[in-house]
């Protein structure tokens, strides 16, 4: 049996940038299945936390311990950034790229890319240049490029920011299907409706501090922190 990637144990992790602490210290264990939704006002540290967990931001204090070795852990997770990087090549080759990077033969990579393009609804634009896609299509491309790695853990940073209702619904359906297949998801959003639709639990961040990690039902009816209560009321948080 393959050793599970999770739990991830984070202990006392903090990030300092520009002379101030922008995140933490955070102690947290990521385990189980499902979707954790990261909520919090602009600048609260959502992107920094996601990137730190994924290993693309280095913490200044603390440790992250995966259940497997660091290299194995790196290969078994994927990240969809808020502004996806689109490579100067076709949609198909954009999606195939992570596989070719990992040494999969080009023909096989392209076959699998075609299947993942279909999954996110990009079949129609497969041969187009990636750069000419619309914003929503670029997000779908980024999602397909992450899913093609069949990650055990998927991070997404506001994957539906700037998308219309239809594109958002498409992406939400894909994420729920991916979750049902057993992929653990951690994603940030500013969309409370989306948090309700997708989240199993809510992580609430404010000023770099993780104020609570609460099951969704409870978060929306009885948030544990004053700041989350204010946030849900729509107050402007300092
Ligand atoms: N390299 C850096 N140097 C200095 N400050 C930084 C750096 N990176 C991030 N910050 C600051 O850290 C804070 C947290 O940023 P982060 O991008 O994680 O917030 P966020 O919750 O994702 O916000 P948003 O909702 O706007 O995406 C912000 O105040 C930001 O200005
Ligand atoms: Mg952010």
């Amino acid at each position: 049996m393959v050793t599970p990637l999770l739990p991830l144990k984070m202990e006392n992790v903090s990030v300092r940038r520009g002379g101030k602490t922008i995140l933490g210290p955070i102690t947290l264990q990521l385990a189980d299945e499902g979707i954790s939704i990261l909520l919090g006002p602009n600048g609260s540290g959502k992107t920094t936390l996601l990137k730190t967990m994924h290993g693309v931001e280095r913490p200044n204090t603390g440790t992250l311990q995966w259940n497997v070795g660091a290299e194995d852990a790196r290969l078994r997770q994927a990240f969809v950034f808020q502004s996806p990087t689109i490579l100067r090549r076709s949609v198909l080759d954009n999606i195939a790229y992570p596989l070719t990077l990992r040494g999969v033969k080009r023909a096989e990579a392209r076959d699998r890319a075609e299947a993942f393009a279909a999954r996110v609804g990009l079949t129609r634009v497969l041969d187009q240049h990636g750069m000419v896609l619309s914003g929503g299509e670029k997000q779908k491309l980024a999602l397909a490029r992450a899913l093609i790695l069949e990650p055990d853990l998927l991070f997404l940073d506001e994957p539906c920011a700037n998308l219309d209702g239809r594109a958002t619904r498409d992406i939400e359906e894909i994420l729920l299907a991916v979750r049902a297949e057993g992929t653990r998801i951690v994603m940030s959003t500013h969309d409370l409706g989306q948090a309700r639709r997708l989240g199993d639990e809510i992580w609430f961040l404010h000023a770099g501090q993780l104020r609570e990690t609460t099951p969704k039902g409870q978060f929306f009816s009885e948030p544990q922190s004053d700041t989350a209560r204010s946030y849900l009321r729509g107050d402007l948080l300092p």
Side-chain angles (χ1 to χ4, degrees):
M1 212 185 97
V2 184
T3 310
L5 169 64
L6 298 174
L8 162 66
K9 294 177 182 158
M10 290 179 71
E11 223 157 294
N12 272 317
V13 167
S14 67
V15 176
R16 281 180 73 77
R17 295 289 180 267
K20 61 176 189 164
T21 299
I22 60 169
L23 184 75
I26 287 179
T27 294
L28 155 80
Q29 183 155 327
L30 180 69
D32 306 321
E33 301 187 327
I35 302 183
S36 300
I37 298 275
L38 207 40
L39 288 179
N42 289 137
S44 56
K46 299 181 297 298
T47 300
T48 307
L49 175 55
L50 290 169
K51 286 183 172 172
T52 304
M53 294 177 91
H54 186 52
V56 292
E57 283 282 1
R58 269 187 175 281
N60 297 76
T61 69
T63 54
L64 286 107
Q65 180 79 50
W66 297 92
N67 193 44
V68 297
E71 179 60 11
D72 195 7
R74 190 181 66 79
L75 293 171
R76 288 165 66 179
Q77 50 180 299
F79 199 116
V80 177
F81 292 92
Q82 188 176 356
S83 308
T85 307
I86 307 296
L87 307 170
R88 296 181 177 281
R89 53 186 81 183
S90 71
V91 169
L92 185 68
D93 286 334
N94 261 279
I95 299 174
Y97 182 69
L99 291 182
T100 48
L101 259 193
R102 289 183 186 195
V104 175
K105 291 216 171 64
R106 192 171 142 89
E108 188 192 334
R110 294 184 112 221
D111 278 352
R112 280 163 66 185
E114 210 172 315
F116 278 88
R119 188 158 185 194
V120 300
L122 288 181
T123 300
R124 224 171 30 85
V125 293
L126 268 187
D127 298 325
Q128 268 180 33
H129 203 273
M131 308 296 281
V132 306
L133 295 182
S134 74
E137 288 168 338
K138 282 181 180 159
Q139 281 294 359
K140 289 178 178 176
L141 187 160
L143 185 56
R145 204 168 46 193
L147 293 179
I148 203 167
L149 294 169
E150 300 183 80
D152 295 332
L153 172 61
L154 177 62
F155 295 106
L156 305 108
D157 195 9
E158 298 190 44
C160 301
N162 308 317
L163 300 192
D164 66 17
R166 170 134 190 232
T168 298
R169 194 170 62 232
D170 289 348
I171 287 192
E172 289 186 4
E173 272 173 18
I174 295 163
L175 293 179
L176 287 172
V178 167
R179 171 199 185 287
E181 288 160 15
T183 297
R184 184 73 169 85
I185 294 176
V186 182
M187 64 178 273
S188 68
T189 183
H190 281 282
D191 178 347
L192 293 179
Q194 179 164 71
R196 283 178 196 270
R197 289 188 296 273
L198 296 185
D200 294 294
E201 61 171 3
I202 308 292
W203 300 1
F204 184 74
L205 265 174
H206 179 240
Q209 303 291 321
L210 191 57
R211 302 285 177 189
E212 58 180 290
T213 57
T214 310
K216 173 183 57 182
Q218 191 185 349
F219 180 82
F220 286 104
S221 59
E222 294 172 57
Q224 303 297 293
S225 58
D226 289 340
T227 41
R229 210 165 296 127
S230 307
Y231 179 80
L232 288 173
R233 271 202 309 266
D235 295 349
L236 298 175
L237 295 175

